C-alpha cells in the first residue's frame, strides 16, 4: 500500500527526470543539426575541389599556373632576402649589447663581422641593381594579391555549391544554415586557409572553418570551431 508522502516523492522524482530528459533530448537535437550542417558543408567542399581541378586543367594548358608559380618563386626569394637582412641586423644588435654587458668585446666582434658579411652579401645584388628591389616588391604584392583572389574564388564557388544543394529543401540556404546552428550562415564560413596551386604545388586544398552555436535552457553556447577539408590535384 503506497502512502501519501510516498506518492509525493514519486511525483517530484518524475518531474526531475522528465526535465532532465527534455534538456538531454533538446541538446541531442542540436548536435544532430550540427552534424547535418557539417555533412552539407563537407559535400559542398568536396564538389568544389573537383570543379576547381577541372578548371585548373584549362589554366595549366594556357600557362596561367606556370606564370603564377614563377611569381611565387621570385616573391619567396625576395622575402627570404628581407628576412635574412632583418635577422642579421638583430644578431648585430644583440652582439653589441652582449659585449657591453659581459665585456667580451672579442667574441662579440666576431659575431658582428660574420653577420655584417652575410648582410653585405645579401644586399649587394640590390645595391648594384636597384630595380631588383622594385621587382622583388612587385612580385610579393602580386603573390599576395593572387592568393587573396584565389581564396575569394574558392569561397564563392563553395557557397554556390551549398546554395544548389540546399535549394531543394525549400528553405533559403543562408537561413537554413543559421537554423542548423552555423553562426552568421553562409557569411560565417571562413575559407582563408584554402590553397589553389600555391607555391608551385599541384594540390587543391579547400578548408572551410565555421562556428556552431547551440541553444541550452539558459543561453546560446558556441561550440569549438569546426573545420572540414577537401583536397585533390590539378588534372
Amino acid at each position: 500500500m503506497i502512502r501519501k508522502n510516498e506518492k509525493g516523492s514519486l511525483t517530484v522524482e518524475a518531474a526531475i527526470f522528465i526535465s532532465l530528459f527534455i534538456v538531454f533530448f533538446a541538446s541531442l537535437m542540436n548536435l544532430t543539426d550540427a552534424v547535418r550542417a557539417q555533412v552539407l558543408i563537407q559535400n559542398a567542399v568536396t564538389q568544389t575541389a573537383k570543379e576547381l581541378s577541372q578548371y585548373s586543367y584549362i589554366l595549366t594548358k594556357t600557362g596561367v599556373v606556370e606564370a603564377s608559380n614563377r611569381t611565387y618563386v621570385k616573391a619567396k626569394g625576395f622575402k627570404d632576402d628581407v628576412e635574412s637582412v632583418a635577422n642579421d641586423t638583430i644578431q648585430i644588435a644583440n652582439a653589441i649589447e652582449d659585449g657591453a654587458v659581459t665585456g667580451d668585446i672579442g667574441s662579440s666582434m666576431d659575431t658582428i663581422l660574420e653577420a655584417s658579411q652575410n648582410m653585405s652579401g645579401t644586399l649587394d645584388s640590390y645595391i648594384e641593381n636597384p630595380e631588383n628591389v622594385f621587382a622583388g616588391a612587385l612580385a610579393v604584392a602580386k603573390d599576395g594579391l593572387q592568393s587573396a583572389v584565389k581564396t575569394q574564388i574558392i569561397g564563392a564557388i563553395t557557397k554556390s555549391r551549398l546554395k544548389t544543394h540546399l535549394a531543394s529543401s525549400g528553405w533559403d540556404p543562408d537561413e537554413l544554415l543559421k537554423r542548423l546552428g552555423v553562426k552568421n550562415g553562409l557569411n560565417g564560413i571562413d575559407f582563408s586557409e584554402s590553397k589553389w596551386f600555391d607555391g608551385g604545388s599541384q594540390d587543391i586544398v579547400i578548408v572551410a572553418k565555421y562556428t556552431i552555436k547551440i541553444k541550452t535552457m539558459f543561453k546560446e553556447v558556441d561550440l569549438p570551431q569546426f573545420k572540414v577539408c577537401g583536397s585533390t590535384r590539378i588534372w
Side-chain angles (χ1 to χ4, degrees), residues 36-69:
R36 185 184 173 196
Q38 186 171 14
V39 170
L40 290 171
I41 295 173
Q42 177 68 69
N43 186 50
V45 164
T46 302
Q47 292 300 320
T48 301
K50 291 179 179 178
E51 288 186 24
L52 286 179
S53 178
Q54 297 173 20
Y55 300 154
S56 298
Y57 175 76
I58 299 173
L59 297 179
T60 301
K61 290 299 182 182
T62 55
V64 172
V65 173
E66 183 181 355
S68 176
N69 291 341

Coordinates of all heavy atoms in Angstrom, one line a residue, residues 36-69:
R36 N 24.4 17.6 -39.3 CA 23.8 17.8 -40.6 C 24.5 18.9 -41.3 O 24.8 18.8 -42.5 CB 22.3 18.1 -40.5 CG 21.6 18.2 -41.8 CD 20.2 18.5 -41.6 NE 19.5 18.8 -42.9 CZ 18.3 19.4 -43.0 NH1 17.7 19.9 -42.0 NH2 17.8 19.6 -44.2
A37 N 24.8 20.0 -40.6 CA 25.5 21.2 -41.2 C 26.9 20.7 -41.7 O 27.3 21.1 -42.8 CB 25.6 22.3 -40.2
Q38 N 27.6 19.9 -40.9 CA 28.9 19.5 -41.3 C 28.9 18.6 -42.6 O 29.7 18.8 -43.4 CB 29.5 18.7 -40.2 CG 31.0 18.4 -40.4 CD 31.7 17.8 -39.2 OE1 31.1 17.4 -38.3 NE2 33.0 17.7 -39.3
V39 N 27.9 17.8 -42.7 CA 27.7 16.9 -43.8 C 27.5 17.8 -45.1 O 28.1 17.5 -46.2 CB 26.6 15.9 -43.6 CG1 26.3 15.2 -45.0 CG2 27.0 14.9 -42.6
L40 N 26.6 18.8 -45.0 CA 26.3 19.6 -46.1 C 27.5 20.4 -46.6 O 27.8 20.5 -47.8 CB 25.1 20.6 -45.7 CG 23.8 19.9 -45.6 CD1 22.8 21.0 -45.0 CD2 23.2 19.4 -46.9
I41 N 28.2 21.0 -45.6 CA 29.4 21.8 -45.9 C 30.5 20.9 -46.5 O 31.2 21.3 -47.5 CB 29.9 22.6 -44.7 CG1 28.8 23.6 -44.3 CG2 31.2 23.3 -45.0 CD1 29.1 24.3 -43.0
Q42 N 30.7 19.7 -45.9 CA 31.7 18.8 -46.4 C 31.4 18.4 -47.9 O 32.4 18.4 -48.7 CB 31.8 17.6 -45.5 CG 32.8 16.5 -46.0 CD 34.2 17.0 -45.9 OE1 34.7 17.1 -44.7 NE2 34.9 17.2 -47.0
N43 N 30.2 18.2 -48.2 CA 29.8 17.8 -49.5 C 30.1 18.9 -50.5 O 30.6 18.7 -51.6 CB 28.3 17.4 -49.6 CG 27.9 16.8 -50.9 OD1 28.6 15.9 -51.5 ND2 26.8 17.4 -51.5
A44 N 29.8 20.1 -50.1 CA 30.0 21.3 -51.0 C 31.5 21.5 -51.2 O 31.9 21.8 -52.3 CB 29.4 22.5 -50.4
V45 N 32.3 21.3 -50.2 CA 33.7 21.5 -50.3 C 34.3 20.5 -51.2 O 35.2 20.8 -52.1 CB 34.4 21.4 -48.9 CG1 35.9 21.1 -49.0 CG2 34.1 22.6 -48.1
T46 N 33.9 19.2 -51.1 CA 34.4 18.1 -52.0 C 34.0 18.4 -53.4 O 34.9 18.2 -54.3 CB 33.8 16.8 -51.5 OG1 34.1 16.5 -50.2 CG2 34.3 15.7 -52.4
Q47 N 32.8 18.8 -53.7 CA 32.4 19.1 -55.0 C 33.1 20.3 -55.6 O 33.5 20.3 -56.8 CB 30.8 19.4 -55.1 CG 30.0 18.2 -54.8 CD 30.1 17.1 -55.7 OE1 30.3 17.3 -57.0 NE2 30.2 15.9 -55.3
T48 N 33.4 21.3 -54.8 CA 34.2 22.5 -55.3 C 35.6 22.1 -55.6 O 36.2 22.5 -56.6 CB 34.2 23.5 -54.2 OG1 32.9 23.9 -53.9 CG2 35.0 24.8 -54.7
A49 N 36.2 21.2 -54.8 CA 37.6 20.7 -55.1 C 37.6 20.0 -56.5 O 38.5 20.2 -57.3 CB 38.0 19.8 -54.0
K50 N 36.6 19.2 -56.8 CA 36.5 18.5 -58.1 C 36.4 19.5 -59.2 O 37.0 19.4 -60.3 CB 35.4 17.6 -58.1 CG 35.5 16.4 -57.2 CD 34.3 15.4 -57.2 CE 34.5 14.2 -56.3 NZ 33.3 13.3 -56.3
E51 N 35.5 20.5 -59.0 CA 35.3 21.5 -60.1 C 36.6 22.3 -60.3 O 37.0 22.6 -61.5 CB 34.2 22.5 -59.7 CG 32.8 21.8 -59.7 CD 31.7 22.9 -59.5 OE1 31.9 24.1 -59.7 OE2 30.6 22.4 -59.0
L52 N 37.3 22.7 -59.3 CA 38.5 23.5 -59.4 C 39.6 22.7 -60.1 O 40.4 23.2 -60.9 CB 39.0 24.0 -58.1 CG 38.2 25.1 -57.4 CD1 38.8 25.5 -56.0 CD2 38.2 26.4 -58.3
S53 N 39.6 21.4 -59.9 CA 40.5 20.5 -60.6 C 40.3 20.5 -62.1 O 41.2 20.6 -62.9 CB 40.4 19.1 -60.0 OG 41.2 18.2 -60.7
Q54 N 39.0 20.6 -62.5 CA 38.7 20.6 -63.9 C 39.1 22.0 -64.5 O 39.7 22.1 -65.6 CB 37.2 20.4 -64.1 CG 36.8 19.0 -63.7 CD 35.3 18.8 -63.7 OE1 34.6 19.6 -64.4 NE2 34.8 17.9 -63.0
Y55 N 38.8 23.1 -63.8 CA 39.1 24.4 -64.2 C 40.6 24.5 -64.3 O 41.2 25.2 -65.3 CB 38.6 25.5 -63.3 CG 37.1 25.5 -63.1 CD1 36.6 26.0 -61.9 CD2 36.2 25.0 -64.1 CE1 35.2 26.0 -61.7 CE2 34.9 25.1 -63.9 CZ 34.3 25.6 -62.7 OH 33.0 25.6 -62.5
S56 N 41.4 24.0 -63.4 CA 42.8 24.1 -63.3 C 43.5 23.5 -64.5 O 44.6 23.8 -64.9 CB 43.4 23.5 -62.0 OG 42.8 24.2 -60.9
Y57 N 42.9 22.5 -65.1 CA 43.4 21.8 -66.3 C 43.5 22.8 -67.4 O 44.5 22.9 -68.1 CB 42.5 20.7 -66.7 CG 42.9 20.0 -68.0 CD1 44.0 19.2 -68.1 CD2 42.2 20.3 -69.2 CE1 44.5 18.6 -69.3 CE2 42.7 19.7 -70.4 CZ 43.7 18.9 -70.5 OH 44.1 18.3 -71.6
I58 N 42.5 23.7 -67.6 CA 42.5 24.7 -68.6 C 43.6 25.8 -68.3 O 44.3 26.2 -69.1 CB 41.1 25.4 -68.7 CG1 40.0 24.4 -69.0 CG2 41.1 26.5 -69.7 CD1 38.6 24.9 -69.0
L59 N 43.7 26.1 -67.0 CA 44.7 27.1 -66.6 C 46.1 26.6 -66.8 O 47.0 27.4 -67.1 CB 44.5 27.5 -65.1 CG 43.1 28.1 -64.7 CD1 43.1 28.4 -63.2 CD2 43.0 29.4 -65.5
T60 N 46.3 25.3 -66.6 CA 47.6 24.7 -66.8 C 47.9 24.8 -68.3 O 49.1 25.1 -68.7 CB 47.6 23.2 -66.4 OG1 47.3 23.2 -65.0 CG2 49.0 22.6 -66.6
K61 N 47.0 24.4 -69.2 CA 47.2 24.4 -70.6 C 47.5 25.8 -71.2 O 48.2 26.0 -72.1 CB 46.1 23.8 -71.3 CG 45.9 22.3 -71.1 CD 47.1 21.6 -71.6 CE 47.0 20.1 -71.5 NZ 48.2 19.3 -71.9
T62 N 46.9 26.9 -70.5 CA 47.1 28.2 -71.0 C 48.2 28.9 -70.4 O 48.5 30.1 -70.7 CB 45.8 29.1 -70.8 OG1 45.5 29.0 -69.4 CG2 44.6 28.5 -71.6
G63 N 49.0 28.2 -69.5 CA 50.2 28.8 -68.9 C 49.9 29.7 -67.6 O 50.9 30.2 -67.1
V64 N 48.7 29.8 -67.2 CA 48.4 30.6 -66.0 C 49.0 30.1 -64.8 O 49.6 30.8 -64.0 CB 46.9 30.8 -65.8 CG1 46.6 31.5 -64.5 CG2 46.2 31.5 -67.0
V65 N 49.0 28.8 -64.6 CA 49.5 28.1 -63.4 C 51.1 28.3 -63.4 O 51.6 28.7 -62.3 CB 49.2 26.6 -63.4 CG1 49.9 25.9 -62.2 CG2 47.7 26.4 -63.2
E66 N 51.7 28.1 -64.5 CA 53.2 28.3 -64.6 C 53.6 29.7 -64.3 O 54.5 30.0 -63.5 CB 53.7 27.9 -66.0 CG 55.2 28.0 -66.1 CD 55.6 27.6 -67.5 OE1 54.8 27.2 -68.3 OE2 56.9 27.7 -67.8
A67 N 52.8 30.7 -64.8 CA 53.1 32.1 -64.5 C 53.0 32.4 -63.0 O 53.8 33.2 -62.4 CB 52.2 33.0 -65.4
S68 N 51.9 31.9 -62.4 CA 51.7 32.1 -61.0 C 52.8 31.5 -60.2 O 53.3 32.1 -59.2 CB 50.4 31.4 -60.6 OG 50.2 31.5 -59.2
N69 N 53.3 30.3 -60.6 CA 54.4 29.7 -59.8 C 55.7 30.5 -60.0 O 56.5 30.6 -59.0 CB 54.6 28.3 -60.3 CG 53.4 27.4 -59.9 OD1 52.7 27.7 -59.0 ND2 53.3 26.2 -60.6

